[in-house]
Amino acid sequence: MAPKTVAGLLKSEAKSQDINIKGWVRTFRANRFIALNDGSTLQNIQCVVDFENTDETTLKRITTGAAVHIKGLLIESQGKGQSVEVQVKDIKILGDSDPETFPIQPKKHSLEFLRENAHLRVRTNTFSAVMRVRSTLAFAIHRYFNENGFYYMHTPIITGSDAEGAGEMFRVTNFDAKNPPLNEDGSVNYKEDFFGKETNLTVSGQLEAETYAMALGKVYTFGPTFRAENSNTSRHLAEFWMIEPEVAFMDLAGNMDLAEDFLKYVLKYVLETNREDLEFLQQRLQDEEKGKPQAERSEMSLIEKLKFVIDNNFKRVSYTEAIDILRDSKPNKKKQFKYLIENWGADLQSEHERFLVEKHFNCPVILFDYPANIKAFYMRLNDDGKTVRAMDILFPGIGEMVGGSQREERLDVLTEKMKALGIDEKELWWYLDLRKYGTAVHSGFGLGFERLVMFVTGMGNIRDVIPYPRTPQNAEF
Ligand code: 4AD
Ligand code: MG
């Protein structure tokens, strides 16, 4: 008799069959009713103990959090709330759980408290639902690219380059921190370091992905990404996962089409696959919003919001149009923005992005053709000489979900740009080679995986959609 999962049992039609199941006790009521969970579904299965025939010590050991092995009969439920239940014939305690100290009690805990217990929080309904959704999304992403002829490429985690040119990198070294070898001028001599040069954890796999796109045509990466931005916000992590497709012979319009089609596909997939988890998370969100003033509550439920994004076209707006809208907007005129929009060329802050998606357009927005000097060096310069073929996709409640561009494929324009920014050509000789040997129009984007999980689950803090968040001053577990 092979052990079954709770999900399998709850779906099972056959009644009065012998079953065998292992899981963790969520609650134990009236010395009789165990709510058992094994992670296979949000639901618990009710297991009814015959307390007259079970010894006292075993009954005492059935506590919240304990691991148990139950053998019994799957029968039609006698009570309300479930269609089947297990009549327990034999229960073995596999692992005790001390009810005095187990942090996850059957009651509501704050998200902050659960973050401090991140190793146990996945035993709650909320976190198990979020993590099942996260897993489905990751699968859907691979599935989409696989179905569409992309190759999965593993870009290096340790690199010598700063792809984004922002300098927010974590150094990788095996020097003795107290006593690194020095040059004559007192600076650290990285030539003697493990790799013979300065290296860091990758901030993006894009530059390497470009090299593969220029041979395999369509590739994507999906891996961990590291940024030492000291921004303690609900949308930034020091370690996050990024998906980066890169496609040869594709321009910016194609890039927008790809990103939109891709996002709709994965949203649809998770909606079909994790309905139960999403309904639970939707209810959780509604309960959380009850405490908020009307104006701050969402107009749409979580599932309505996902459907809305799937069913409607993203709005495509140039940076220049966006600046006009923002300049004439109420919060700008009334000086309610922290950063007022006065001139073309201003960098957009999250308050501006949120105004555009949440107040003005009320749907996902693709902003494109940004000023060259607020974007990375590799973006394709437009004929106007001042804007680049960049695109950011902004989502309601999230802000920037995707950042991408058509890449500068012309060697002379690229080297000139690098010179102006002080980027050493010798460091990126291999990247420049792409522009010497069979260069072509190509494009790609980066999707922040945790921001997608936030949008789908309705969780408001990025720390709650990754198992073990890494943020400034925090790398526990
Ligand atoms: O806009 P970014 O910096 O773009 C790139 O890195 C490009 N090289 C991507 C490409 O074209 N291949 O980052 C892409 C996305 C952002 O839109 C955001 O969703 C996410 O990555 N992101 C972060 N997510 C969590 N924490 C952080 N600190 C993030 N920084 C960026
Ligand atoms: Mg960006």
mmCIF file with all atom_site columns, all heavy atoms in Angstrom, residues 164 204 206 227 229 235-237 240 242 244 378 400-403 407 445-446 448 451, ligand 1:
data_model
loop_
_atom_site.group_PDB
_atom_site.id
_atom_site.type_symbol
_atom_site.label_atom_id
_atom_site.label_alt_id
_atom_site.label_comp_id
_atom_site.label_asym_id
_atom_site.label_entity_id
_atom_site.label_seq_id
_atom_site.pdbx_PDB_ins_code
_atom_site.Cartn_x
_atom_site.Cartn_y
_atom_site.Cartn_z
_atom_site.occupancy
_atom_site.B_iso_or_equiv
_atom_site.pdbx_formal_charge
_atom_site.auth_seq_id
_atom_site.auth_comp_id
_atom_site.auth_asym_id
_atom_site.auth_atom_id
_atom_site.pdbx_PDB_model_num
ATOM   1   N N   . GLU A 1 164 ? 25.367 46.369 -16.041 1.00 0.00 ? 164 GLU A N   1
ATOM   2   C CA  . GLU A 1 164 ? 24.467 47.511 -15.966 1.00 0.00 ? 164 GLU A CA  1
ATOM   3   C C   . GLU A 1 164 ? 25.207 48.829 -15.758 1.00 0.00 ? 164 GLU A C   1
ATOM   4   O O   . GLU A 1 164 ? 24.611 49.891 -15.768 1.00 0.00 ? 164 GLU A O   1
ATOM   5   C CB  . GLU A 1 164 ? 23.430 47.298 -14.863 1.00 0.00 ? 164 GLU A CB  1
ATOM   6   C CG  . GLU A 1 164 ? 22.405 46.225 -15.190 1.00 0.00 ? 164 GLU A CG  1
ATOM   7   C CD  . GLU A 1 164 ? 21.727 46.458 -16.538 1.00 0.00 ? 164 GLU A CD  1
ATOM   8   O OE1 . GLU A 1 164 ? 21.029 47.474 -16.673 1.00 0.00 ? 164 GLU A OE1 1
ATOM   9   O OE2 . GLU A 1 164 ? 21.909 45.637 -17.450 1.00 0.00 ? 164 GLU A OE2 1
ATOM   10  N N   . SER A 1 204 ? 23.572 40.802 -14.001 1.00 0.00 ? 204 SER A N   1
ATOM   11  C CA  . SER A 1 204 ? 22.717 40.475 -15.149 1.00 0.00 ? 204 SER A CA  1
ATOM   12  C C   . SER A 1 204 ? 23.484 39.535 -16.063 1.00 0.00 ? 204 SER A C   1
ATOM   13  O O   . SER A 1 204 ? 24.693 39.689 -16.241 1.00 0.00 ? 204 SER A O   1
ATOM   14  C CB  . SER A 1 204 ? 22.365 41.759 -15.913 1.00 0.00 ? 204 SER A CB  1
ATOM   15  O OG  . SER A 1 204 ? 21.949 41.454 -17.231 1.00 0.00 ? 204 SER A OG  1
ATOM   16  N N   . GLN A 1 206 ? 22.870 39.370 -19.192 1.00 0.00 ? 206 GLN A N   1
ATOM   17  C CA  . GLN A 1 206 ? 22.556 39.852 -20.543 1.00 0.00 ? 206 GLN A CA  1
ATOM   18  C C   . GLN A 1 206 ? 23.729 39.802 -21.527 1.00 0.00 ? 206 GLN A C   1
ATOM   19  O O   . GLN A 1 206 ? 23.576 39.329 -22.653 1.00 0.00 ? 206 GLN A O   1
ATOM   20  C CB  . GLN A 1 206 ? 22.020 41.279 -20.469 1.00 0.00 ? 206 GLN A CB  1
ATOM   21  C CG  . GLN A 1 206 ? 21.745 41.873 -21.838 1.00 0.00 ? 206 GLN A CG  1
ATOM   22  C CD  . GLN A 1 206 ? 21.623 43.373 -21.799 1.00 0.00 ? 206 GLN A CD  1
ATOM   23  O OE1 . GLN A 1 206 ? 21.069 43.908 -20.842 1.00 0.00 ? 206 GLN A OE1 1
ATOM   24  N NE2 . GLN A 1 206 ? 22.132 44.049 -22.806 1.00 0.00 ? 206 GLN A NE2 1
ATOM   25  N N   . ARG A 1 227 ? 22.621 42.354 -6.448  1.00 0.00 ? 227 ARG A N   1
ATOM   26  C CA  . ARG A 1 227 ? 22.850 43.806 -6.505  1.00 0.00 ? 227 ARG A CA  1
ATOM   27  C C   . ARG A 1 227 ? 23.042 44.362 -5.103  1.00 0.00 ? 227 ARG A C   1
ATOM   28  O O   . ARG A 1 227 ? 22.214 44.156 -4.227  1.00 0.00 ? 227 ARG A O   1
ATOM   29  C CB  . ARG A 1 227 ? 21.685 44.507 -7.199  1.00 0.00 ? 227 ARG A CB  1
ATOM   30  C CG  . ARG A 1 227 ? 21.572 44.019 -8.632  1.00 0.00 ? 227 ARG A CG  1
ATOM   31  C CD  . ARG A 1 227 ? 20.906 44.967 -9.574  1.00 0.00 ? 227 ARG A CD  1
ATOM   32  N NE  . ARG A 1 227 ? 20.834 44.310 -10.878 1.00 0.00 ? 227 ARG A NE  1
ATOM   33  C CZ  . ARG A 1 227 ? 20.083 44.715 -11.879 1.00 0.00 ? 227 ARG A CZ  1
ATOM   34  N NH1 . ARG A 1 227 ? 19.349 45.805 -11.741 1.00 0.00 ? 227 ARG A NH1 1
ATOM   35  N NH2 . ARG A 1 227 ? 20.084 44.051 -13.030 1.00 0.00 ? 227 ARG A NH2 1
ATOM   36  N N   . GLU A 1 229 ? 22.597 47.208 -4.019  1.00 0.00 ? 229 GLU A N   1
ATOM   37  C CA  . GLU A 1 229 ? 21.931 48.502 -3.882  1.00 0.00 ? 229 GLU A CA  1
ATOM   38  C C   . GLU A 1 229 ? 21.509 48.597 -2.435  1.00 0.00 ? 229 GLU A C   1
ATOM   39  O O   . GLU A 1 229 ? 20.879 47.684 -1.929  1.00 0.00 ? 229 GLU A O   1
ATOM   40  C CB  . GLU A 1 229 ? 20.627 48.570 -4.682  1.00 0.00 ? 229 GLU A CB  1
ATOM   41  C CG  . GLU A 1 229 ? 20.736 48.204 -6.121  1.00 0.00 ? 229 GLU A CG  1
ATOM   42  C CD  . GLU A 1 229 ? 19.351 48.142 -6.776  1.00 0.00 ? 229 GLU A CD  1
ATOM   43  O OE1 . GLU A 1 229 ? 18.793 49.207 -7.043  1.00 0.00 ? 229 GLU A OE1 1
ATOM   44  O OE2 . GLU A 1 229 ? 18.860 47.027 -7.001  1.00 0.00 ? 229 GLU A OE2 1
ATOM   45  N N   . ARG A 1 235 ? 10.418 46.350 -2.668  1.00 0.00 ? 235 ARG A N   1
ATOM   46  C CA  . ARG A 1 235 ? 10.553 45.816 -4.020  1.00 0.00 ? 235 ARG A CA  1
ATOM   47  C C   . ARG A 1 235 ? 11.975 45.478 -4.432  1.00 0.00 ? 235 ARG A C   1
ATOM   48  O O   . ARG A 1 235 ? 12.234 45.145 -5.577  1.00 0.00 ? 235 ARG A O   1
ATOM   49  C CB  . ARG A 1 235 ? 9.977  46.822 -5.029  1.00 0.00 ? 235 ARG A CB  1
ATOM   50  C CG  . ARG A 1 235 ? 8.495  46.930 -4.926  1.00 0.00 ? 235 ARG A CG  1
ATOM   51  C CD  . ARG A 1 235 ? 7.924  47.977 -5.845  1.00 0.00 ? 235 ARG A CD  1
ATOM   52  N NE  . ARG A 1 235 ? 6.500  48.000 -5.692  1.00 0.00 ? 235 ARG A NE  1
ATOM   53  C CZ  . ARG A 1 235 ? 5.868  48.592 -4.698  1.00 0.00 ? 235 ARG A CZ  1
ATOM   54  N NH1 . ARG A 1 235 ? 6.545  49.226 -3.765  1.00 0.00 ? 235 ARG A NH1 1
ATOM   55  N NH2 . ARG A 1 235 ? 4.543  48.558 -4.618  1.00 0.00 ? 235 ARG A NH2 1
ATOM   56  N N   . HIS A 1 236 ? 12.927 45.589 -3.498  1.00 0.00 ? 236 HIS A N   1
ATOM   57  C CA  . HIS A 1 236 ? 14.323 45.308 -3.831  1.00 0.00 ? 236 HIS A CA  1
ATOM   58  C C   . HIS A 1 236 ? 14.909 44.204 -2.964  1.00 0.00 ? 236 HIS A C   1
ATOM   59  O O   . HIS A 1 236 ? 14.724 44.203 -1.749  1.00 0.00 ? 236 HIS A O   1
ATOM   60  C CB  . HIS A 1 236 ? 15.189 46.559 -3.653  1.00 0.00 ? 236 HIS A CB  1
ATOM   61  C CG  . HIS A 1 236 ? 14.960 47.589 -4.702  1.00 0.00 ? 236 HIS A CG  1
ATOM   62  N ND1 . HIS A 1 236 ? 14.002 48.562 -4.579  1.00 0.00 ? 236 HIS A ND1 1
ATOM   63  C CD2 . HIS A 1 236 ? 15.557 47.785 -5.909  1.00 0.00 ? 236 HIS A CD2 1
ATOM   64  C CE1 . HIS A 1 236 ? 14.018 49.326 -5.677  1.00 0.00 ? 236 HIS A CE1 1
ATOM   65  N NE2 . HIS A 1 236 ? 14.948 48.872 -6.499  1.00 0.00 ? 236 HIS A NE2 1
ATOM   66  N N   . LEU A 1 237 ? 15.641 43.323 -3.606  1.00 0.00 ? 237 LEU A N   1
ATOM   67  C CA  . LEU A 1 237 ? 16.405 42.302 -2.896  1.00 0.00 ? 237 LEU A CA  1
ATOM   68  C C   . LEU A 1 237 ? 17.858 42.424 -3.336  1.00 0.00 ? 237 LEU A C   1
ATOM   69  O O   . LEU A 1 237 ? 18.144 42.884 -4.445  1.00 0.00 ? 237 LEU A O   1
ATOM   70  C CB  . LEU A 1 237 ? 15.897 40.907 -3.277  1.00 0.00 ? 237 LEU A CB  1
ATOM   71  C CG  . LEU A 1 237 ? 14.511 40.500 -2.763  1.00 0.00 ? 237 LEU A CG  1
ATOM   72  C CD1 . LEU A 1 237 ? 14.038 39.248 -3.485  1.00 0.00 ? 237 LEU A CD1 1
ATOM   73  C CD2 . LEU A 1 237 ? 14.532 40.271 -1.256  1.00 0.00 ? 237 LEU A CD2 1
ATOM   74  N N   . PHE A 1 240 ? 18.172 38.268 -6.194  1.00 0.00 ? 240 PHE A N   1
ATOM   75  C CA  . PHE A 1 240 ? 16.867 37.978 -6.788  1.00 0.00 ? 240 PHE A CA  1
ATOM   76  C C   . PHE A 1 240 ? 17.068 37.123 -8.033  1.00 0.00 ? 240 PHE A C   1
ATOM   77  O O   . PHE A 1 240 ? 18.189 36.901 -8.467  1.00 0.00 ? 240 PHE A O   1
ATOM   78  C CB  . PHE A 1 240 ? 16.102 39.273 -7.111  1.00 0.00 ? 240 PHE A CB  1
ATOM   79  C CG  . PHE A 1 240 ? 16.763 40.159 -8.129  1.00 0.00 ? 240 PHE A CG  1
ATOM   80  C CD1 . PHE A 1 240 ? 16.342 40.163 -9.463  1.00 0.00 ? 240 PHE A CD1 1
ATOM   81  C CD2 . PHE A 1 240 ? 17.797 41.011 -7.773  1.00 0.00 ? 240 PHE A CD2 1
ATOM   82  C CE1 . PHE A 1 240 ? 16.960 40.981 -10.412 1.00 0.00 ? 240 PHE A CE1 1
ATOM   83  C CE2 . PHE A 1 240 ? 18.424 41.832 -8.713  1.00 0.00 ? 240 PHE A CE2 1
ATOM   84  C CZ  . PHE A 1 240 ? 17.993 41.819 -10.035 1.00 0.00 ? 240 PHE A CZ  1
ATOM   85  N N   . MET A 1 242 ? 16.325 36.449 -12.046 1.00 0.00 ? 242 MET A N   1
ATOM   86  C CA  . MET A 1 242 ? 15.939 37.214 -13.232 1.00 0.00 ? 242 MET A CA  1
ATOM   87  C C   . MET A 1 242 ? 15.844 36.277 -14.440 1.00 0.00 ? 242 MET A C   1
ATOM   88  O O   . MET A 1 242 ? 16.634 35.360 -14.594 1.00 0.00 ? 242 MET A O   1
ATOM   89  C CB  . MET A 1 242 ? 16.931 38.345 -13.491 1.00 0.00 ? 242 MET A CB  1
ATOM   90  C CG  . MET A 1 242 ? 16.542 39.236 -14.670 1.00 0.00 ? 242 MET A CG  1
ATOM   91  S SD  . MET A 1 242 ? 17.096 40.943 -14.562 1.00 0.00 ? 242 MET A SD  1
ATOM   92  C CE  . MET A 1 242 ? 18.857 40.776 -14.516 1.00 0.00 ? 242 MET A CE  1
ATOM   93  N N   . GLU A 1 244 ? 16.007 36.388 -18.493 1.00 0.00 ? 244 GLU A N   1
ATOM   94  C CA  . GLU A 1 244 ? 16.482 37.282 -19.552 1.00 0.00 ? 244 GLU A CA  1
ATOM   95  C C   . GLU A 1 244 ? 16.504 36.581 -20.912 1.00 0.00 ? 244 GLU A C   1
ATOM   96  O O   . GLU A 1 244 ? 17.454 35.869 -21.226 1.00 0.00 ? 244 GLU A O   1
ATOM   97  C CB  . GLU A 1 244 ? 17.889 37.806 -19.212 1.00 0.00 ? 244 GLU A CB  1
ATOM   98  C CG  . GLU A 1 244 ? 17.931 38.658 -17.957 1.00 0.00 ? 244 GLU A CG  1
ATOM   99  C CD  . GLU A 1 244 ? 19.323 39.199 -17.669 1.00 0.00 ? 244 GLU A CD  1
ATOM   100 O OE1 . GLU A 1 244 ? 20.124 38.494 -17.048 1.00 0.00 ? 244 GLU A OE1 1
ATOM   101 O OE2 . GLU A 1 244 ? 19.605 40.331 -18.087 1.00 0.00 ? 244 GLU A OE2 1
ATOM   102 N N   . TYR A 1 378 ? 24.553 49.912 -23.457 1.00 0.00 ? 378 TYR A N   1
ATOM   103 C CA  . TYR A 1 378 ? 24.392 48.978 -24.581 1.00 0.00 ? 378 TYR A CA  1
ATOM   104 C C   . TYR A 1 378 ? 23.121 49.200 -25.398 1.00 0.00 ? 378 TYR A C   1
ATOM   105 O O   . TYR A 1 378 ? 22.831 48.449 -26.316 1.00 0.00 ? 378 TYR A O   1
ATOM   106 C CB  . TYR A 1 378 ? 24.419 47.539 -24.060 1.00 0.00 ? 378 TYR A CB  1
ATOM   107 C CG  . TYR A 1 378 ? 23.459 47.311 -22.899 1.00 0.00 ? 378 TYR A CG  1
ATOM   108 C CD1 . TYR A 1 378 ? 22.086 47.315 -23.102 1.00 0.00 ? 378 TYR A CD1 1
ATOM   109 C CD2 . TYR A 1 378 ? 23.933 47.126 -21.598 1.00 0.00 ? 378 TYR A CD2 1
ATOM   110 C CE1 . TYR A 1 378 ? 21.207 47.132 -22.049 1.00 0.00 ? 378 TYR A CE1 1
ATOM   111 C CE2 . TYR A 1 378 ? 23.052 46.936 -20.539 1.00 0.00 ? 378 TYR A CE2 1
ATOM   112 C CZ  . TYR A 1 378 ? 21.697 46.942 -20.760 1.00 0.00 ? 378 TYR A CZ  1
ATOM   113 O OH  . TYR A 1 378 ? 20.830 46.778 -19.724 1.00 0.00 ? 378 TYR A OH  1
ATOM   114 N N   . GLU A 1 400 ? 8.136  48.889 -11.872 1.00 0.00 ? 400 GLU A N   1
ATOM   115 C CA  . GLU A 1 400 ? 8.903  48.251 -12.948 1.00 0.00 ? 400 GLU A CA  1
ATOM   116 C C   . GLU A 1 400 ? 8.985  46.738 -12.769 1.00 0.00 ? 400 GLU A C   1
ATOM   117 O O   . GLU A 1 400 ? 9.529  46.241 -11.805 1.00 0.00 ? 400 GLU A O   1
ATOM   118 C CB  . GLU A 1 400 ? 10.318 48.844 -12.998 1.00 0.00 ? 400 GLU A CB  1
ATOM   119 C CG  . GLU A 1 400 ? 11.127 48.258 -14.142 1.00 0.00 ? 400 GLU A CG  1
ATOM   120 C CD  . GLU A 1 400 ? 12.602 48.669 -14.115 1.00 0.00 ? 400 GLU A CD  1
ATOM   121 O OE1 . GLU A 1 400 ? 12.919 49.760 -13.614 1.00 0.00 ? 400 GLU A OE1 1
ATOM   122 O OE2 . GLU A 1 400 ? 13.423 47.871 -14.605 1.00 0.00 ? 400 GLU A OE2 1
ATOM   123 N N   . MET A 1 401 ? 8.459  46.045 -13.748 1.00 0.00 ? 401 MET A N   1
ATOM   124 C CA  . MET A 1 401 ? 8.487  44.577 -13.730 1.00 0.00 ? 401 MET A CA  1
ATOM   125 C C   . MET A 1 401 ? 9.564  44.082 -14.690 1.00 0.00 ? 401 MET A C   1
ATOM   126 O O   . MET A 1 401 ? 10.243 43.103 -14.423 1.00 0.00 ? 401 MET A O   1
ATOM   127 C CB  . MET A 1 401 ? 7.115  44.063 -14.181 1.00 0.00 ? 401 MET A CB  1
ATOM   128 C CG  . MET A 1 401 ? 6.992  42.577 -14.297 1.00 0.00 ? 401 MET A CG  1
ATOM   129 S SD  . MET A 1 401 ? 6.550  41.859 -12.746 1.00 0.00 ? 401 MET A SD  1
ATOM   130 C CE  . MET A 1 401 ? 4.771  41.937 -12.851 1.00 0.00 ? 401 MET A CE  1
ATOM   131 N N   . VAL A 1 402 ? 9.685  44.768 -15.819 1.00 0.00 ? 402 VAL A N   1
ATOM   132 C CA  . VAL A 1 402 ? 10.602 44.359 -16.889 1.00 0.00 ? 402 VAL A CA  1
ATOM   133 C C   . VAL A 1 402 ? 11.429 45.563 -17.335 1.00 0.00 ? 402 VAL A C   1
ATOM   134 O O   . VAL A 1 402 ? 10.908 46.677 -17.420 1.00 0.00 ? 402 VAL A O   1
ATOM   135 C CB  . VAL A 1 402 ? 9.787  43.838 -18.104 1.00 0.00 ? 402 VAL A CB  1
ATOM   136 C CG1 . VAL A 1 402 ? 10.661 43.723 -19.355 1.00 0.00 ? 402 VAL A CG1 1
ATOM   137 C CG2 . VAL A 1 402 ? 9.125  42.495 -17.799 1.00 0.00 ? 402 VAL A CG2 1
ATOM   138 N N   . GLY A 1 403 ? 12.711 45.314 -17.620 1.00 0.00 ? 403 GLY A N   1
ATOM   139 C CA  . GLY A 1 403 ? 13.541 46.336 -18.252 1.00 0.00 ? 403 GLY A CA  1
ATOM   140 C C   . GLY A 1 403 ? 14.237 45.697 -19.436 1.00 0.00 ? 403 GLY A C   1
ATOM   141 O O   . GLY A 1 403 ? 14.801 44.613 -19.295 1.00 0.00 ? 403 GLY A O   1
ATOM   142 N N   . ARG A 1 407 ? 19.542 46.246 -28.680 1.00 0.00 ? 407 ARG A N   1
ATOM   143 C CA  . ARG A 1 407 ? 20.946 46.487 -28.339 1.00 0.00 ? 407 ARG A CA  1
ATOM   144 C C   . ARG A 1 407 ? 21.646 47.259 -29.449 1.00 0.00 ? 407 ARG A C   1
ATOM   145 O O   . ARG A 1 407 ? 21.343 47.094 -30.639 1.00 0.00 ? 407 ARG A O   1
ATOM   146 C CB  . ARG A 1 407 ? 21.668 45.164 -28.111 1.00 0.00 ? 407 ARG A CB  1
ATOM   147 C CG  . ARG A 1 407 ? 20.889 44.104 -27.344 1.00 0.00 ? 407 ARG A CG  1
ATOM   148 C CD  . ARG A 1 407 ? 20.355 44.579 -26.011 1.00 0.00 ? 407 ARG A CD  1
ATOM   149 N NE  . ARG A 1 407 ? 19.790 43.470 -25.224 1.00 0.00 ? 407 ARG A NE  1
ATOM   150 C CZ  . ARG A 1 407 ? 19.141 43.624 -24.097 1.00 0.00 ? 407 ARG A CZ  1
ATOM   151 N NH1 . ARG A 1 407 ? 18.901 44.826 -23.610 1.00 0.00 ? 407 ARG A NH1 1
ATOM   152 N NH2 . ARG A 1 407 ? 18.693 42.572 -23.430 1.00 0.00 ? 407 ARG A NH2 1
ATOM   153 N N   . PHE A 1 445 ? 15.187 41.336 -22.868 1.00 0.00 ? 445 PHE A N   1
ATOM   154 C CA  . PHE A 1 445 ? 14.725 42.048 -21.658 1.00 0.00 ? 445 PHE A CA  1
ATOM   155 C C   . PHE A 1 445 ? 15.009 41.224 -20.417 1.00 0.00 ? 445 PHE A C   1
ATOM   156 O O   . PHE A 1 445 ? 15.376 40.036 -20.514 1.00 0.00 ? 445 PHE A O   1
ATOM   157 C CB  . PHE A 1 445 ? 13.237 42.396 -21.765 1.00 0.00 ? 445 PHE A CB  1
ATOM   158 C CG  . PHE A 1 445 ? 12.298 41.210 -21.860 1.00 0.00 ? 445 PHE A CG  1
ATOM   159 C CD1 . PHE A 1 445 ? 11.883 40.528 -20.722 1.00 0.00 ? 445 PHE A CD1 1
ATOM   160 C CD2 . PHE A 1 445 ? 11.816 40.793 -23.099 1.00 0.00 ? 445 PHE A CD2 1
ATOM   161 C CE1 . PHE A 1 445 ? 11.014 39.442 -20.812 1.00 0.00 ? 445 PHE A CE1 1
ATOM   162 C CE2 . PHE A 1 445 ? 10.935 39.710 -23.201 1.00 0.00 ? 445 PHE A CE2 1
ATOM   163 C CZ  . PHE A 1 445 ? 10.532 39.034 -22.045 1.00 0.00 ? 445 PHE A CZ  1
ATOM   164 N N   . GLY A 1 446 ? 14.846 41.854 -19.273 1.00 0.00 ? 446 GLY A N   1
ATOM   165 C CA  . GLY A 1 446 ? 14.997 41.160 -17.991 1.00 0.00 ? 446 GLY A CA  1
ATOM   166 C C   . GLY A 1 446 ? 13.719 41.305 -17.186 1.00 0.00 ? 446 GLY A C   1
ATOM   167 O O   . GLY A 1 446 ? 13.189 42.409 -17.036 1.00 0.00 ? 446 GLY A O   1
ATOM   168 N N   . GLY A 1 448 ? 12.120 40.658 -13.470 1.00 0.00 ? 448 GLY A N   1
ATOM   169 C CA  . GLY A 1 448 ? 12.404 40.354 -12.066 1.00 0.00 ? 448 GLY A CA  1
ATOM   170 C C   . GLY A 1 448 ? 11.401 39.319 -11.572 1.00 0.00 ? 448 GLY A C   1
ATOM   171 O O   . GLY A 1 448 ? 10.220 39.612 -11.439 1.00 0.00 ? 448 GLY A O   1
ATOM   172 N N   . ARG A 1 451 ? 9.218  40.063 -8.527  1.00 0.00 ? 451 ARG A N   1
ATOM   173 C CA  . ARG A 1 451 ? 8.173  41.081 -8.747  1.00 0.00 ? 451 ARG A CA  1
ATOM   174 C C   . ARG A 1 451 ? 6.963  40.441 -9.431  1.00 0.00 ? 451 ARG A C   1
ATOM   175 O O   . ARG A 1 451 ? 5.825  40.801 -9.156  1.00 0.00 ? 451 ARG A O   1
ATOM   176 C CB  . ARG A 1 451 ? 8.724  42.249 -9.551  1.00 0.00 ? 451 ARG A CB  1
ATOM   177 C CG  . ARG A 1 451 ? 9.824  42.950 -8.759  1.00 0.00 ? 451 ARG A CG  1
ATOM   178 C CD  . ARG A 1 451 ? 10.089 44.344 -9.236  1.00 0.00 ? 451 ARG A CD  1
ATOM   179 N NE  . ARG A 1 451 ? 11.194 44.893 -8.459  1.00 0.00 ? 451 ARG A NE  1
ATOM   180 C CZ  . ARG A 1 451 ? 11.857 45.982 -8.792  1.00 0.00 ? 451 ARG A CZ  1
ATOM   181 N NH1 . ARG A 1 451 ? 11.523 46.661 -9.875  1.00 0.00 ? 451 ARG A NH1 1
ATOM   182 N NH2 . ARG A 1 451 ? 12.835 46.421 -8.034  1.00 0.00 ? 451 ARG A NH2 1
HETATM 183 O O1  . 4AD B 2 .   ? 16.064 46.900 -15.392 1.00 0.00 ? 1   4AD B O1  1
HETATM 184 P P1  . 4AD B 2 .   ? 17.167 45.963 -15.037 1.00 0.00 ? 1   4AD B P1  1
HETATM 185 O O2  . 4AD B 2 .   ? 18.298 46.490 -14.239 1.00 0.00 ? 1   4AD B O2  1
HETATM 186 O O3  . 4AD B 2 .   ? 17.665 45.372 -16.421 1.00 0.00 ? 1   4AD B O3  1
HETATM 187 C C1  . 4AD B 2 .   ? 18.739 44.572 -16.643 1.00 0.00 ? 1   4AD B C1  1
HETATM 188 O O4  . 4AD B 2 .   ? 19.432 44.078 -15.788 1.00 0.00 ? 1   4AD B O4  1
HETATM 189 C C2  . 4AD B 2 .   ? 18.943 44.221 -18.080 1.00 0.00 ? 1   4AD B C2  1
HETATM 190 N N1  . 4AD B 2 .   ? 20.311 43.725 -18.253 1.00 0.00 ? 1   4AD B N1  1
HETATM 191 C C3  . 4AD B 2 .   ? 17.917 43.189 -18.486 1.00 0.00 ? 1   4AD B C3  1
HETATM 192 C C4  . 4AD B 2 .   ? 18.016 42.783 -19.930 1.00 0.00 ? 1   4AD B C4  1
HETATM 193 O O5  . 4AD B 2 .   ? 17.745 43.587 -20.800 1.00 0.00 ? 1   4AD B O5  1
HETATM 194 N N2  . 4AD B 2 .   ? 18.395 41.567 -20.193 1.00 0.00 ? 1   4AD B N2  1
HETATM 195 O O6  . 4AD B 2 .   ? 16.560 44.703 -14.265 1.00 0.00 ? 1   4AD B O6  1
HETATM 196 C C5  . 4AD B 2 .   ? 15.546 43.927 -14.849 1.00 0.00 ? 1   4AD B C5  1
HETATM 197 C C6  . 4AD B 2 .   ? 14.432 43.658 -13.864 1.00 0.00 ? 1   4AD B C6  1
HETATM 198 C C7  . 4AD B 2 .   ? 13.759 44.915 -13.328 1.00 0.00 ? 1   4AD B C7  1
HETATM 199 O O7  . 4AD B 2 .   ? 12.789 45.381 -14.230 1.00 0.00 ? 1   4AD B O7  1
HETATM 200 C C8  . 4AD B 2 .   ? 13.144 44.405 -12.034 1.00 0.00 ? 1   4AD B C8  1
HETATM 201 O O8  . 4AD B 2 .   ? 11.937 43.708 -12.267 1.00 0.00 ? 1   4AD B O8  1
HETATM 202 C C9  . 4AD B 2 .   ? 14.177 43.400 -11.568 1.00 0.00 ? 1   4AD B C9  1
HETATM 203 O O9  . 4AD B 2 .   ? 14.942 43.027 -12.690 1.00 0.00 ? 1   4AD B O9  1
HETATM 204 N N3  . 4AD B 2 .   ? 15.063 43.954 -10.530 1.00 0.00 ? 1   4AD B N3  1
HETATM 205 C C10 . 4AD B 2 .   ? 15.003 43.634 -9.233  1.00 0.00 ? 1   4AD B C10 1
HETATM 206 N N4  . 4AD B 2 .   ? 14.182 42.808 -8.550  1.00 0.00 ? 1   4AD B N4  1
HETATM 207 C C11 . 4AD B 2 .   ? 14.384 42.696 -7.217  1.00 0.00 ? 1   4AD B C11 1
HETATM 208 N N5  . 4AD B 2 .   ? 15.349 43.343 -6.537  1.00 0.00 ? 1   4AD B N5  1
HETATM 209 C C12 . 4AD B 2 .   ? 16.208 44.179 -7.176  1.00 0.00 ? 1   4AD B C12 1
HETATM 210 N N6  . 4AD B 2 .   ? 17.174 44.801 -6.500  1.00 0.00 ? 1   4AD B N6  1
HETATM 211 C C13 . 4AD B 2 .   ? 16.047 44.353 -8.589  1.00 0.00 ? 1   4AD B C13 1
HETATM 212 N N7  . 4AD B 2 .   ? 16.688 45.084 -9.515  1.00 0.00 ? 1   4AD B N7  1
HETATM 213 C C14 . 4AD B 2 .   ? 16.081 44.827 -10.699 1.00 0.00 ? 1   4AD B C14 1
#
